[in-house]
């Protein structure tokens, strides 16, 4: 399925879950569309003194469970349809892990590698300024996503605080999460999504009596999510056999040390050229003989064309939307299990919530505390999804949507529709 209809893919899955659970048709109408869609065009002075106009998006899908929450992506493929899909996924995800948040997502259609650090700072600051009151610490809280990081969050923080009255500044630092720890961030946020993925894999393994110490895996995307998932899974004794990013794919049957690879990627910008592994083709990478595949790059990677190549027992979806609808069908027919994105990668937003709480309460939690709370939330969510899958005799993806939709339906029914 192409990127042009990513929101259609979200809608199709949503409609399937709505049918299986018999969601109230009136509520289905509400949740089928985002509440707000903000598009801003803003000028930035480039290093050469010339002005360039950028387009930024923020889609606020739903806030019936709490403030809008979701990342910001800087990527050439960002478009309104993709942002809509990502925002809806955030609504389901926050409901599944039981956070008092709604869903949103945003981004700018740029390739950040084409800009200097100074230009990126100016782009980020002007984007934040253009969004104005559309974001806010108890209204809509951005976070990192593809190609955005703690530094970018710090610029957003600083710009936002500069636009509010002085007496409100110190009580507004929770306007953004994923900040550097020294600037109000939480311990454990950087690794949170990867850590959450591993907690769900552990739970899966526990339920299947599968020994992770003997497991092999491969990972697509060696950025924040993929590299942390790999590093943490290896701490359990599992072996990383292959990795892929935008620069290429590498393989080593004896295993790749993810800590060492991480250092290499930091220094060289990608996995290509890593000497302790062999370069392989995209097809060879996808066909890696391993137990677990962690897609942690972009959406629509597992399709009718690529899914037949996959031989893993489990696909743990670190990325948002890595499997399209036809890809799902192929995996299902091959008996490959899926931990769906809205459950599997929810660790990031969980620790974002912890950061937000720490900021609001002027607290600073230690890492054990963060990890312990994250584990409980991920395991509880995994078990809820498992229970619903059994109850409705359905697949894990549909079950995870049902967990979210049941909660949203309940709240809408209690609150009613104004007026
Ligand atoms: P990132 O920018 O840190 O890393 C992205 C990785 O994907 C990089 O290694 C990049 O080289 C790779 N990549 C890009 N295009 C590729 C291609 N065509 N083929 C193979 N690899 C490619 O981003 P991230 O934060 O790690 O996000 C990765 C995925 O996880 C996204 O789908 C994102 O929405 C999702 N996610 C991120 C978080 C978070 O906390 N950062 C939380 C939940 C979900």
């Amino acid at each position: 399925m192409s990127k042009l209809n990513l929101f259609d893919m979200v809608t199709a899955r949503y409609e399937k879950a709505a049918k299986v659970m018999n969601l109230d048709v009136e509520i289905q109408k509400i949740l089928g569309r985002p509440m707000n869609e903000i598009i801003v065009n803003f000028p930035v002075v480039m290093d050469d003194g010339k002005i360039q106009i950028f387009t930024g998006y923020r889609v606020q899908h739903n806030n019936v469970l709490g403030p809008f929450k979701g990342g910001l992506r800087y990527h050439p493929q960002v478009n309104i349809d993709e942002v809509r899909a990502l925002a809806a996924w955030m609504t389901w995800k926050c409901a599944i892990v039981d956070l008092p948040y709604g869903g949103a997502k945003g981004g700018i259609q740029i390739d950040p590698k084409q800009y200097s650090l100074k230009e990126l700072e100016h782009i980020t600051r002007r984007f934040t300024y253009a969004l104005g009151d559309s974001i806010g610490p108890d209204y809509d809280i951005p976070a990192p996503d593809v190609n955005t990081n703690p530094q970018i969050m710090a610029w957003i923080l600083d710009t936002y605080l500069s636009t509010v009255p002085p007496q409100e500044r110190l009580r507004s630092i929770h306007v953004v999460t994923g900040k550097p720890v020294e600037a109000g961030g939480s311990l454990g946020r950087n690794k949170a999504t990867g850590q959450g993925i591993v907690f769900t894999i552990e739970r899966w393994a526990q339920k299947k009596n599968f020994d992770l110490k003997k497991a092999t895996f491969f990972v697509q995307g060696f950025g924040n999510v993929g590299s942390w998932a790999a590093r943490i899974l290896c701490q359990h004794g599992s072996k990383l056999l292959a990795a892929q990013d935008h620069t290429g794919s590498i393989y080593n049957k004896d295993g790749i040390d993810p800590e060492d690879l991480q250092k290499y990627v930091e220094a060289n910008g990608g996995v290509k050229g890593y000497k302790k592994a062999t370069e392989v083709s995209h097809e060879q990478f996808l066909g890696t003989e391993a137990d677990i595949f962690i897609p942690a790059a972009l959406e629509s990677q597992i399709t009718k064309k690529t899914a037949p190549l996959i031989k893993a027992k489990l696909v743990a979806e670190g990325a948002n939307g890595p499997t399209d609808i036809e890809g799902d069908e192929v995996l299902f027919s091959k008996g490959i299990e899926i931990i769906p994105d809205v459950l599997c990668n929810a660790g990031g937003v969980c620790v974002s919530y912890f950061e937000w709480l720490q900021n609001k309460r002027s607290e600073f939690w230690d890492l054990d505390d963060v990890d312990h709370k994250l584990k409980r939330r991920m395991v509880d969510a995994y078990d809820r999804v498992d229970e619903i899958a059994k109850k409705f005799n359905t697949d894990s993806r549909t079950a995870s949507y049902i967990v979210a939709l049941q909660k949203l339906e309940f709240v809408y029914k209690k609150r009613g529709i104004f007026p």
Side-chain angles (χ1 to χ4, degrees), residues 31-83:
L31 292 170
R33 292 208 196 172
M35 280 181 172
N36 308 314
E37 300 187 346
I38 302 145
I39 301 180
V40 291
N41 297 307
F42 54 93
V44 180
V45 182
M46 297 286 100
D47 288 349
D48 63 4
K50 296 219 168 74
I51 284 173
Q52 201 172 318
I53 306 291
F54 294 87
T55 301
Y57 304 91
R58 186 73 180 167
V59 172
Q60 298 167 331
H61 177 261
N62 191 278
N63 68 351
V64 79
L65 298 180
F68 299 113
K69 185 88 189 81
L72 290 177
R73 178 176 289 196
Y74 288 1
H75 195 275
Q77 280 162 9
V78 166
N79 60 59
I80 188 71
D81 176 72
E82 181 187 71
V83 180

Side-chain angles (χ1 to χ4, degrees), residues 285-299:
F285 167 78
L286 287 174
T288 301
E289 303 262 3
D291 301 309
I292 302 167
F293 175 34
I294 306 176
L298 296 175
E299 47 270 4

Side-chain angles (χ1 to χ4, degrees), residues 73 93 105 144-147 189 193 220-226 244-246 296-298 318-320 345 348:
R73 178 176 289 196
K93 196 181 299 183
K105 202 81 177 194
D145 193 72
V146 175
N147 289 331
R189 174 60 186 91
T193 307
Q220 180 185 51
F222 210 76
N224 173 284
V225 177
Q244 182 189 63
D245 70 4
H246 70 285
L298 296 175
N320 284 305
N345 70 32

